[in-house]
Amino acid sequence: RTFDFAIIALMLCTATSSHADSGIFHATYTCEHGVTVPTVYATLETGENVAIIGVEGQQVGLAKNAPANDVSGYIWWTKGDEASLYFRSGADGSDEATLLSDCISFQ
C-alpha cells in the first residue's frame, strides 16, 4: 500500500514543538545490541496513521505500521513503549524474519 511520502515530509518540515496538536509524535527506540531506531508517527488529513522509521541507513515509510499480508517489506510492531522490526519477503510475503527485537522507546 502506498501513500504520498511528500505529504509526510511536508508535515515533518512544518512541525512545531507542539507535536500533540500537529498529529506528529517522535520517539527513539533502543533495541538489542544497542541499535537505535528513530521513529516519527503521524496522522494524515485522511485519518491514516503512518510511521517513518530510520533503519539500515534509510528512512522507511509505513502505512498502518505494516504491509498487507501478501506484500514484502518491513513490519514495525509496537505495543506501549515496546517494538519489534521484521522483514517479510517471498513472492507471496510468506517468509518473515526478525530484524530487531526488545526495542524500548525513550523520550
Side-chain angles (χ1 to χ4, degrees):
R1 186 169 173 191
T2 61
F3 55 91
D4 192 348
F5 200 78
I7 292 173
I8 295 172
L10 180 61
M11 288 174 61
L12 297 178
C13 291
T14 60
T16 65
S17 61
S18 178
H19 301 302
D21 294 336
S22 66
I24 298 173
F25 176 74
H26 300 259
T28 300
Y29 293 81
T30 299
C31 305
E32 59 188 337
H33 310 295
V35 174
T36 60
V37 181
T39 307
V40 176
Y41 298 100
T43 302
L44 303 179
E45 290 180 5
T46 61
E48 183 175 22
N49 294 315
V50 297
I52 300 173
I53 62 173
V55 62
E56 298 182 336
Q58 60 185 340
Q59 293 180 350
V60 177
L62 302 167
K64 295 187 179 178
N65 299 341
N69 288 339
D70 61 346
V71 176
S72 296
Y74 289 99
I75 302 168
W76 181 242
W77 286 110
T78 60
K79 182 175 182 181
D81 291 340
E82 299 177 3
S84 297
L85 180 65
Y86 305 90
F87 190 82
R88 185 178 292 149
S89 62
D92 61 355
S94 62
D95 296 324
E96 190 171 292
T98 303
L99 300 179
L100 294 170
S101 60
D102 301 323
C103 303
I104 305 292
S105 71
F106 63 92
Q107 311 305 315

